[in-house]
Amino acid sequence: MNGASVPVIYDTSTVSQATNRDYAVPTYMALQSTSPQHAASVGYAGTGSDGLTELDSGHALTNLYTSAPDGHIVATEDVTPGGSSGAGAAKTVTLALGFGRSQDGALAAAAGSLRQPFGSVLDSYQKGWSAYDAGLNRPPATVPGVSGGNQAQVRAAYYLSANVLKASEDKTFPGAIVASVASPWGQAVNAGTLSNGKPVYFGSYREVFSRDLYEVFTGLLLDGDLATARAAARFLLERQQLPTGEIPRNSLLNGKAAPDTGGDQLDETSYPILMAYQAGLSGDATLYKQHIVPAADYLVAHGPSFGVERWEEQSGYSPSTIAAEIAGLTAAATIAARQGDAARAQVYQATADEFQREVKSWTVTTNGPDGPSYFIRLSKTGDPNAAVSYNLGNGGPTLDQRSVLDGGFQELVRLGELPVSDSDVQASLAIWDKMISVKTPSGTGYYRYGDNAETGSADGYGDCYPTSKTPCTPAGRPWPTGNTGTGHLWPVLSGERAESDIGSGNLNGAAGLLIAMMDFSSGVGLVPEQDWENPDLAASPYGSDPTTASIGFADGKPAGSAAPLSWAQAQELRLILDIGAGRALEQPPITADRYVNHTPPASVPISITAPAAGAVIESSSVTVTGTTTPGAKVVIEATDTDTGPPSATATATAGADGSFSADVPIGFGTNVLTATATAGSGTGYAQVTVVGDIISGTTVLDVTDPTGDDNGPGTFQYPTSADFVAGSFDITRFQVITSGSQVFLRTTLRTLTPTFGNVIGAQMLDIYVHSPGGGATSTAAAFPQRNYTIAPADAWTQRIEVQGFASPAWVDANGNSVGTATVLSSEATKTITIVLPASAFGAPASGWSFAVVLTGQDGFSSDQARGFAPTPQPFLFGVCAPGGTSPICAVDPATVPKAMDVITPAGVDQATELDPTLGPVAVHAVPVP
């Protein structure tokens, strides 16, 4: 409280687990009113000092508290209007919440607002948005299929959606439009939780996700806000893009990695290229060379299947992901041609053509249970007819891939790569409508995925409904913190289905789904992420545990996730315009003309005869030979996906016998060689992956580790779930290599197979680095729950931790961020390579040492590491095999060291080092000779 009885709440801490959030500032909030001074108090939520607690019990604010430091603070102020009780008495009060970087600043901001009449403030605010709206494209005067009584509501929904998209843009970083200004299930997340000694950062949807920003971009592009659309494209490419060319899953508002940044999603690298093209940035030579080329090269080297699909839960061949890749690569080819880069234009377009030719062979099953031929959500191996089952995640069931449906195949139509009249598209639409849709009082909605809506939701991401296919309780429980629940209907999917109706000429059907989206919305028209499709459920009594309490739900109305969802709001906006135009206005003409409006390009046969796939190349270059159509123009692109130098191209013309040959450079680690051919209007594509065994650098440390010692002290067991493949936690080699301005820490495993949709989804790798004279040191593990320390002689100055579902942590002994690490994981070489800038890491030499610890990752665990049980469980390591008799088997599983394998120096035995029965476990480091 300040001296004038004005409550001020503040937080001066700018440090949290989000080490890259360098824009954090001290924040003060002051609440002032036009009423005479009355009682005001600050206290701790839910305690006797909470003003609401006192008002509930005594209906008066009598016990006043002037200070409540360090806690969950509630400010309470009596703002009863003053004056007499007669006819002229004041009946209204105006409140002003002032923000500032200091208490005085917040008070001044609030007081300044109150000096202006509320009407004038409101008028100024409304004029600002009216001016913005005046610069937008107008919605259709009449939307076909919409009744006259709803036409005005549709126009209002158009402008509301446009305003939501613009309001969701950060005011400091142009183009940084968040997935939602809301925080889904935020009531269930404890803001007082510490993460490794620092306040938790729950950014959640209030971060920038590439795929969501693309969807927002389509709305901005169609409503005419080209400046913001361009800013969005530039944000992703100029701020968020990684050195490898990949666009990450998400980032903080400054484009840097967030605590939950992690995983690979090829659609999120594809969309920014398409955005650059559609926003008219093709002529920007710098953007092309520094950002478009690396992104497109990444897609060529990693597509069509790498990482997870758009629901971020499964790896495999996904129709929606591949659709994005085709569009992104076609856009890249068009931009490359404008930039005079004919070689790369050929590589990008030929790759896109190959993906378009093959997408149905990868994702359409002909022996599934729902029909003779239809698209499935994804195929795990590229064979949609294989009897492969997978667990849907979030507590969902395990199903045969041929029975799992979603609407992602519609992206092939929307992006102009298949006609809506395609027989497999039509069959899939009918099956999707039958199996995944649910009718509600608001209209028809769709699940993200599943096998049969009549038997309940198979999706576990959402508020719990116990009769679904996920084992959750109680009804209405928020998805956090147990991370299991029930997925509900997504209004955005009704919009996607409506766009297919537009393509088919069914404008009445599309309009009906538009009205459903509007009815699914909350408040003034905010389109939520999910809607409840079950019988109404009452809210839990006041005071219930927020981690399990229902907030109350109505059939066909918003569930407990985010509202508004920026993606859904953009979908509503563009759907209004698309229905009015009778076509998908955001569809790229470059793809539609190539694949739909004209006969798709013919396939030119091409094969690579040398080098062979998997070959080890012991030189800095290799000659690529092969055969294709005589006289065809051949372009070969070589991409080193481990160390990440720019890709290189070489060209050749096939001889009279169809043979070709060209030399390309080879880098250290995994190299992808892509050969493309053009003959007439046709294109061809072939690709092999080889391993480069040299690097233009210096090997500082190179140590091997025995195969088969991935059992900690000799007794540890892998989890029993099939997700955990033998050898996934077995280190076989560790290298430290310096090259120019970079340092590479390379760990080789016996097996490296995608787990939970990520190449390193199973692993948690910690490297503790001791550098003499490197400053403060520590012997602590990344988290106390890891149950080991680092040997005092090897006390670390830097620690790097990498996993598949979070951004790398690179900190000093005081917990401060050292810099940004890049992680490259390769199935081909079975390696995890951490790339560090030498300017921040230093120059490793004699006297340095490295302690390497490998265990399992578990995002649901407080220390992010997979836990142990006495014997192995589906998702827990076992201290011992069933029936084990070692003394270690009697140790409390919560106290064993979370280390499946380590690198040990000479004279140190791993089984002895990690044996918890011999005393506290201390891990020793390997010295640089």
Side-chain angles (χ1 to χ4, degrees), residues 157 161 514 517-518 521 525 527 568-576:
S161 293
L514 168 62
M517 285 190 73
M518 294 170 58
S521 300
V527 187
Q569 215 76 53
Q571 173 71 81
E572 181 180 75
L573 180 151
R574 79 179 189 220
L575 182 56
I576 293 170

Side-chain angles (χ1 to χ4, degrees), residues 392 395-397 399 436 438 447-463 465-471 485-490 530 533-534:
L392 300 189
L399 300 173
I436 303 299
V438 178
Y447 291 127
R448 290 195 300 170
Y449 49 74
D451 60 338
N452 187 348
E454 288 187 359
T455 56
S457 173
D459 183 2
Y461 182 65
D463 303 275
Y465 188 64
T467 61
S468 67
K469 298 173 186 175
T470 55
T486 305
H488 302 284
L489 308 179
W490 286 52
Q530 300 183 42
E533 77 289 12
N534 304 301

Side-chain angles (χ1 to χ4, degrees), residues 209-560:
F209 292 73
S210 175
R211 177 174 45 256
D212 294 68
L213 186 50
Y214 161 72
E215 300 289 350
V216 169
F217 167 89
T218 63
L220 295 167
L221 189 69
L222 297 193
D223 74 19
D225 187 354
L226 184 59
T228 306
R230 286 178 170 171
R234 288 192 178 278
F235 176 89
L236 292 174
L237 291 166
E238 296 176 345
R239 280 192 174 273
Q240 200 180 80
Q241 189 175 35
L242 301 177
T244 59
E246 179 184 15
I247 308 297
R249 169 182 182 261
N250 62 309
S251 76
L252 298 171
L253 300 176
N254 56 6
K256 298 180 181 179
D260 59 348
T261 298
D264 307 292
Q265 301 175 39
L266 291 181
D267 60 344
E268 300 207 297
T269 296
S270 304
Y271 285 132
I273 304 173
L274 180 61
M275 292 164 67
Y277 167 75
Q278 292 189 302
L281 300 176
S282 300
D284 189 324
T286 300
L287 188 73
Y288 172 71
K289 293 177 183 178
Q290 295 183 4
H291 301 286
I292 301 295
V293 167
D297 288 348
Y298 187 90
L299 294 176
V300 170
H302 292 84
S305 174
F306 180 74
V308 293
E309 37 76 90
R310 68 176 180 170
W311 302 128
E312 303 184 334
E313 296 162 348
Q314 299 294 334
S315 62
Y317 291 74
S318 157
S320 61
T321 298
I322 296 170
E325 294 175 62
I326 295 167
L329 285 168
T330 299
T334 306
I335 298 171
R338 176 169 179 179
Q339 292 292 331
D341 192 346
R344 281 193 165 84
Q346 174 172 317
V347 170
Y348 301 154
Q349 193 62 73
T351 304
D353 291 348
E354 177 72 5
F355 292 177
Q356 192 274 343
R357 280 190 287 265
E358 297 297 327
V359 64
K360 290 174 72 171
S361 72
W362 295 325
T363 61
V364 171
T365 185
T366 58
N367 65 353
D370 296 314
S373 181
Y374 58 92
F375 284 95
I376 57 177
R377 176 189 180 187
L378 55 84
S379 68
K380 291 303 246 181
T381 64
D383 180 0
N385 290 327
V388 175
S389 296
Y390 63 90
N391 183 267
L392 300 189
N394 297 308
T398 295
L399 300 173
D400 187 303
Q401 65 175 3
R402 295 167 295 182
S403 68
V404 185
L405 310 168
D406 90 342
F409 65 90
Q410 295 172 104
E411 290 295 275
L412 293 162
V413 175
R414 186 182 68 83
L415 291 173
E417 296 150 11
L418 285 179
V420 72
S421 59
D422 178 272
S423 59
D424 289 319
V425 169
Q426 286 298 310
S428 301
L429 286 171
I431 293 169
W432 195 50
D433 286 342
K434 177 183 177 182
M435 304 300 291
I436 303 299
S437 69
V438 178
K439 296 187 182 303
T440 76
S442 296
T444 299
Y446 294 83
Y447 291 127
R448 290 195 300 170
Y449 49 74
D451 60 338
N452 187 348
E454 288 187 359
T455 56
S457 173
D459 183 2
Y461 182 65
D463 303 275
C464 175
Y465 188 64
T467 61
S468 67
K469 298 173 186 175
T470 55
C472 63
T473 55
R477 175 178 179 160
W479 184 72
T481 54
N483 297 338
T484 59
T486 305
H488 302 284
L489 308 179
W490 286 52
V492 69
L493 301 180
S494 296
E496 289 186 357
R497 182 63 182 87
E499 288 177 325
S500 292
D501 274 345
I502 294 171
S504 300
N506 181 12
L507 298 186
N508 287 335
L513 289 167
L514 168 62
I515 297 302
M517 285 190 73
M518 294 170 58
D519 288 343
F520 279 138
S521 300
S522 63
V524 296
L526 304 182
V527 187
E529 178 186 79
Q530 300 183 42
D531 274 86
W532 190 260
E533 77 289 12
N534 304 301
D536 294 357
L537 180 67
S540 298
Y542 177 76
S544 298
D545 180 357
T547 65
T548 59
S550 163
I551 61 173
F553 304 105
D555 189 5
K557 293 302 178 182

Side-chain angles (χ1 to χ4, degrees), residues 15-79:
V15 176
S16 71
Q17 68 176 128
T19 55
N20 289 326
R21 192 168 171 259
D22 52 20
Y23 50 85
V25 294
T27 301
Y28 288 74
M29 297 182 292
L31 182 65
Q32 294 198 47
S33 73
T34 54
S35 63
Q37 284 188 17
H38 291 300
S41 179
V42 290
Y44 300 105
T47 71
S49 63
D50 183 342
L52 182 59
T53 300
E54 189 170 13
L55 290 171
D56 282 342
S57 61
H59 307 294
L61 193 63
T62 54
N63 295 317
L64 305 181
Y65 300 87
T66 60
S67 177
D70 299 328
H72 184 182
I73 310 303
V74 176
T76 311
E77 182 177 359
D78 182 352
V79 294

